[in-house]
Amino acid sequence: MSLHSVRATSEEAARPLLGDALIGNPVAVRTHATTIRCGAESVWPWLAQIGAGRAGWYSYDMIDNGGVPSAERIEPALQHVEVGDVFPFVSGSPDGFVVFACAPGRSLLLVALGANGAPVVTWAFVLEPVRGGCTRLLVRVRASKAYQFHGLPSWLLKRIVPPGHFVMERRQLLGIARRAEHETRSAARTVHRALRTSGAILGLVALGYSGLVAAAWQGYGRPPRAAAEHEADGVLDRFMPAYEIVERHKVGVRASADVTLAAAREQDLQRSAIVRAIFRARELAVGAGHRPRPETPLLSELLTLGWGVLEDLPGKEVVIGAVTRPWEAEVVFHALPADQFASVAEPGFVKIVVSLRADPLADGTSVFRTETPAVATDAEARAKFRRYWSLVSPGRVADPLNVAPAVEGRRGTPGPREHVGPDTIRSGHGRKGMTGVARAVRVLLHRWVTPKGAAS
């Protein structure tokens, strides 16, 4: 095992460690380890003084130590550790990890207790000598079914807590190693400097994603309404008057409404490098072989995939819809008659409507809008869809502001553009590789209109 890695060996992950018996059937177990180039007697003082409000956790201090930098030197006043001592979770808190076992120079066991006094989390630190005068630091965390994090359901915890824990734990182990390797501090600091930037990015990404997932979960079932009356889509509302989630985007285009909408209908999703990459990723995910997809206009491709046209107003708007189970590996879309779409409520499905709309402006330009609402047909489908949506919506990369250089180019050099909103217009000039009315159409729709195995 290389130095400065935090990956435990298979033997280390499988072997019993201090504190395992306290939680019999854990819902999560994580074991990490690193090799430190000094003896255990030089590592132990850094473990003895650990804790928020003490020497810190040696991780990302803005997150777990109130912004106070973790100690860079050994604090003599914090070296005496006894069973029953409390290491605060965060600075200033009376609650924290309780010391359940302590063998100076060899091991430390911290335990978080639940309301009933039973262990909820165990955190074991074990020091073992290895060849070359080095020390192997093993760390294991075990969590019981009673573990809670901001009231999130257990299935969501299993997906958002492990990445964040790994990033924080990795930073902690490398921080302890750097501090303990006092004889090679200069070399260790150089490595740490390079790791700090990438680690900070990983930490922010992991924690940011966790927050977005939680926000999507909490916000499900409370979709925002149109910001203004003229932005409301009465045509779409006929087919889905009530919905549980919705995405809306708009962008100014230097072209008339009929040209804008015609170009949107003719878009080929395969011209987008983003969409091609997503198709390929899905092929790999489901184990399907790669097969080139022919160039097909957007609307034709949607109809081929199973979507149906609900309303088609030439030069103004086209509305398409389908029922499906988006959480399945092989998504199948089913079209419904327009006069039945709003009333159909067959259990186990999600109804999705997509509107492509171009509104004319007084100066001959237009505003291109997309709106994509969805609603589940029963409680079971709603639970599955909410779970699916919470996990995938933070990764959505729809950017409807990169619009139509090619379409605008058909009209020659465009004149002044009417400003239709603070975040809705961006010049398309200088953006290479953009053909057709909007990359927005390609990126916005690819998650809804393309089944995971569509490329196979």
Side-chain angles (χ1 to χ4, degrees), residues 132-256:
C134 296
T135 300
R136 189 73 170 158
L137 171 58
L138 285 77
V139 179
R140 177 173 294 167
V141 171
R142 291 163 63 91
S144 74
K145 296 179 180 179
Y147 175 70
Q148 295 291 322
F149 183 75
H150 297 294
L152 296 179
S154 60
W155 66 264
L156 195 55
L157 286 176
K158 294 178 182 178
R159 286 164 174 80
I160 67 175
V161 171
H165 169 74
F166 170 77
V167 170
M168 300 295 287
E169 187 79 278
R170 181 179 187 275
R171 172 81 168 193
Q172 180 187 66
L173 294 184
L174 296 180
I176 292 173
R178 180 180 63 82
R179 290 166 171 84
E181 292 172 349
H182 53 85
E183 293 182 358
T184 55
R185 186 175 298 275
S186 178
R189 184 177 292 115
T190 301
V191 175
H192 174 72
R193 190 175 296 116
L195 293 174
R196 181 172 57 193
T197 300
S198 59
I201 294 173
L202 289 173
L204 291 174
V205 170
L207 294 171
Y209 176 75
S210 300
L212 290 173
V213 169
W217 174 267
Q218 298 295 340
Y220 185 92
R222 295 189 290 272
R225 293 295 172 181
E229 184 177 351
H230 71 274
E231 295 184 351
D233 194 331
V235 176
L236 181 148
D237 289 345
R238 295 206 320 266
F239 304 104
M240 190 172 290
Y243 38 84
E244 292 160 351
I245 61 98
V246 65
E247 285 193 348
R248 296 186 184 93
H249 300 280
K250 63 180 178 180
V251 64
V253 182
R254 292 187 179 103
S256 63

Side-chain angles (χ1 to χ4, degrees), residues 28 32 68 111 122 125 153 255 275 336 348 351 410 413 417 429 433:
H32 299 94
V68 178
V111 176
T122 62
F125 299 80
V275 174
L336 294 174
K351 295 197 294 184
R410 299 175 188 174
T413 302
R417 181 186 295 191
H429 297 295

